[in-house]
Amino acid sequence: MAEVRMPRLSESMAEGTIVRWLHGAGDEVDAGQEIAEIETDKAVVGLEAEAAGVLEIVVPEGGSAAVGAVIARLGGAPPGPPTRPIASPLARRRARELGVDLHGLAGTGPHGRIVRDDVEGAARSAEPTPSPERALLGRIRQATVRRLADAAAVPVFTLTAEADASAAARLRAELAGLADPAPTVTDLVVSAAGRALREHPAMNASAAEGAVLRHPRPHVGVAVDTEDGLVVPVVRDPGSPVAVAAEARELVGRARAGAATPADLDGATFTVSNLGMFGVAEFAAVIVPPQAGILAVGAVRELPRVRDGAVVAVPVMALTLTCDHRVVDGAQAARFLARLVALLERPLALMIEEGKS
């Protein structure tokens, strides 16, 4: 015969009161069935039979018993296999809410009793895992993947410099009321890159099998983000910032509309990639073979710098040049980058015909 004892249902519980028996004396009950409601110092809780048998009531309804005292017995019929899982009332309620089948669920409570955490854990593990969405690459992204694979085999080095953008900001503000479209930071950089490439032809080159090709004129690709992927329209032989702005607006417009022509995208000898508009401080761009270099432009940021012996806030932007070491060496690239910085810090020179600045 199995004894049913007053359970300890809270840390502070010393005794409990039988609110009511859910089965009468002599009734057969199954293991896991609730047989009584017990009032503690905190709540009324259901008590489940831990074995099957015929109920013999020891403590009547309204009676109290100390924790561990016998309140009933189950006998008269041999215990059989449980027909109902042993679970707390709260676990049963959560199982109904979450649609969890208690049969076969392992309980972590006393004597293998299924508790709320067991039910909620089973519900979480039963949630379907979202399948990854397969997105086919468009032709533009496929071309980008091929270029990246080619770039992985190129021996590169990077150089980083800082340009004071104060004069560039002033020039852009003055041109805003005079030119339509007004030059952007990217337009200024492309204009400066074009002039620096003409002055340093070693950078306006590309790798060829067993040789280096030096191009007669610079053609600067501008990385443009579109819905279909990265597109690089080409500004040919860049002139002044105003001229670059006019040409770039048309090129970028066609690229973002998906209407770029092969001529728009072909023939770059150098590339500029600007992520400053996204707040990126600095980065190193992946070179576009067979070009000798690519320039990564960071955001213009107000940073403390020493000027005339005093610390002042200065708008600066980071320029990172990635180079193909097969085409140029560090000194050649450094001279090109220094000239580029000088042009951006004195951008009015870009408005003057070359040879006169």
Side-chain angles (χ1 to χ4, degrees), residues 267-357:
T269 62
F270 186 83
T271 298
V272 170
S273 179
N274 185 359
L275 293 180
M277 66 285 292
F278 299 109
V280 175
E282 62 180 88
F283 67 105
V286 178
I287 201 165
V288 183
Q291 298 170 24
I294 184 170
L295 184 73
V297 183
V300 176
R301 298 179 297 155
E302 292 277 344
L303 297 176
R305 294 294 182 265
V306 177
R307 296 291 186 267
D308 299 324
V311 177
V312 296
V314 177
V316 297
M317 61 180 169
L319 305 170
T320 302
L321 179 65
T322 301
C323 301
D324 184 341
H325 216 330
R326 300 171 301 174
V327 181
V328 294
D329 59 30
Q332 291 171 312
R335 285 191 287 269
F336 165 79
L337 186 56
R339 179 55 176 155
L340 182 64
V341 170
L343 288 167
L344 290 173
E345 292 186 341
R346 193 181 173 219
L348 193 59
L350 297 172
M351 305 296 294
I352 303 171
E353 184 179 347
E354 288 183 55
K356 298 181 180 180
S357 59

Side-chain angles (χ1 to χ4, degrees), residues 237-258:
D237 204 4
S240 71
V242 173
V244 169
E247 185 176 354
R249 179 163 73 171
E250 293 185 5
L251 288 168
V252 172
R254 287 197 294 271
R256 288 189 170 144

Side-chain angles (χ1 to χ4, degrees), residues 229-241:
L230 189 68
V231 177
V232 187
V234 182
V235 178
R236 302 185 183 279
D237 204 4
S240 71

Side-chain angles (χ1 to χ4, degrees), residues 142-280:
Q142 289 181 24
T144 300
V145 169
R146 289 193 296 271
R147 286 198 302 269
L148 291 173
D150 293 340
V154 176
V156 299
F157 64 91
T158 58
L159 304 176
T160 299
E162 181 181 280
D164 183 334
S166 303
R170 289 193 297 270
L171 179 62
R172 289 185 61 223
E174 291 172 2
L175 292 176
L178 301 174
D180 184 22
T184 64
V185 171
T186 300
D187 296 331
L188 285 173
V189 173
V190 170
S191 176
R195 180 165 296 195
L197 287 167
R198 285 188 287 269
E199 296 176 4
H200 297 268
M203 280 297 305
N204 193 46
S206 58
E209 188 172 349
V212 172
L213 300 180
R214 292 195 173 180
H215 305 288
R217 308 300 294 174
H219 303 312
V220 179
V222 181
V224 176
D225 181 42
T226 72
E227 290 184 359
D228 295 325
L230 189 68
V231 177
V232 187
V234 182
V235 178
R236 302 185 183 279
D237 204 4
S240 71
V242 173
V244 169
E247 185 176 354
R249 179 163 73 171
E250 293 185 5
L251 288 168
V252 172
R254 287 197 294 271
R256 288 189 170 144
T261 67
D264 289 343
L265 308 175
D266 187 51
T269 62
F270 186 83
T271 298
V272 170
S273 179
N274 185 359
L275 293 180
M277 66 285 292
F278 299 109
V280 175

